[in-house]
Amino acid sequence: MARTRLTVTGTPVGDVDLVVVTPVGTRRSDPLPLLVAHDGPEYSRRAHLVSRLRTATADGRVPPTRVVLLEPGPRNERYAANPLWAEALAEHVLPTVHTAYAADAKPTLVGASLGALASLQTEWRHPGTFGALFLQSGSFFRKRVDDEEDFEFWDRVTAFVAGVRRARKRRSDARIVLTCGADEGNLANNRQMAQTLAASGHDVTFHERPGRHDWRSWEAAFDPFLLTLLQGSGSPGSSTRRGT
């Protein structure tokens, strides 16, 4: 996989650094699927995202895919339901990537914890930007559900989640897959978010997995759920709990 560093300047949250990882033997003009990852360097280093995709491609399980590894920068400020980050990603970062690289369809957006929250908010505020969302252990905090009131952006996060819960019709056509560990604190709010999205007509599946709120558990959920999502064939029915 060839890696190219880019910096997108002039966004509402300042400069955004990223790395584009491209399958060897492909050109920028080749239209390939695009996977965008919040906390990209950590996903690559600690959850082995790029190497897992490389192996799956070699095995013929997923098509050759470009990966955008987003540097978080000031992570909490950007990812904790910040509408300016959503604008930066949808209206600055992605257009820059699309100018440099051809894509064959709308990209898939991946995130864990606050990264999952930021992923949902970006598509929620800019519907139609992404074709699919892979949300792992999202920090979908709710009052009277989560004991996180000391978090510096608690009010911003709970306000966004409350807004999603008030929606009565589908806001996005993206396919949405949520995963969450059975032994972590975000399990209840992830179950509720899946139910909320299903009730408003979204294409959503939720998978409760063994594990905790950590990179090992998130990596374990790649196969089959992320790989199947990248195949474009939907989530495996035997493991799917739609809206639960």
Side-chain angles (χ1 to χ4, degrees):
M1 306 285 276
R3 295 179 178 241
T4 302
R5 298 194 65 87
L6 294 175
T7 298
V8 181
T9 61
T11 86
V13 296
D15 292 354
V16 177
D17 296 318
L18 58 92
V19 175
V20 181
V21 186
T22 303
V24 172
T26 63
R27 298 172 296 181
R28 293 187 177 215
S29 58
D30 293 334
L32 300 179
L34 183 66
L35 178 68
V36 181
H38 282 107
D39 294 304
E42 293 289 276
Y43 254 115
S44 181
R45 182 174 66 87
R46 302 183 66 181
H48 311 107
L49 174 63
V50 172
S51 61
R52 293 292 295 269
L53 287 178
R54 183 173 60 240
T55 299
T57 301
D59 292 342
R61 299 184 63 190
V62 298
T65 301
R66 285 193 187 91
V67 182
V68 174
L69 303 175
L70 298 169
E71 297 268 7
R75 184 176 186 271
N76 287 1
E77 169 61 35
R78 288 182 174 181
Y79 288 3
N82 185 346
L84 294 180
W85 170 253
E87 180 183 347
L89 180 54
E91 299 186 5
H92 296 261
V93 174
L94 274 183
T96 298
V97 173
H98 286 317
T99 297
Y101 297 90
D104 69 349
K106 293 178 181 179
T108 296
L109 184 58
V110 174
S113 193
L114 285 176
L117 175 73
S119 297
L120 179 62
Q121 191 197 38
T122 300
E123 175 63 17
W124 195 262
R125 293 186 64 88
H126 302 270
T129 300
F130 296 94
L133 305 177
F134 189 67
L135 311 179
Q136 299 195 271
S137 306
S139 298
F140 306 124
F141 299 150
R142 290 189 63 202
K143 296 177 180 178
R144 297 179 296 279
V145 173
D146 297 287
D147 186 22
E148 298 286 350
E149 289 88 348
D150 291 337
F151 179 56
E152 58 184 324
F153 299 112
W154 167 261
D155 288 340
R156 199 166 70 188
V157 172
T158 55
F160 168 68
V161 172
V164 175
R165 291 180 60 81
R166 286 194 296 269
R168 293 295 177 263
K169 62 181 180 179
R170 185 174 62 200
R171 189 171 181 89
S172 169
D173 291 329
R175 295 169 57 236
I176 306 172
V177 175
L178 295 90
T179 72
C180 195
D183 300 318
E184 64 168 286
N186 279 350
L187 181 58
N189 65 52
N190 274 252
R191 285 173 174 167
Q192 292 175 2
M193 179 56 75
Q195 292 169 349
T196 293
L197 292 170
S200 54
H202 293 84
D203 178 3
V204 59
T205 55
F206 172 64
H207 306 280
E208 182 178 323
R209 302 276 294 170
R212 300 180 181 276
H213 196 86
D214 56 38
W215 290 104
R216 178 176 295 183
S217 299
W218 297 329
E219 179 184 1
F222 292 166
D223 191 354
F225 305 118
L226 177 60
L227 299 186
T228 305
L229 188 64
L230 293 175
Q231 292 166 6
S233 58
S235 297
S238 61
S239 303
T240 295
R241 298 167 55 189
R242 178 173 293 274
T244 64

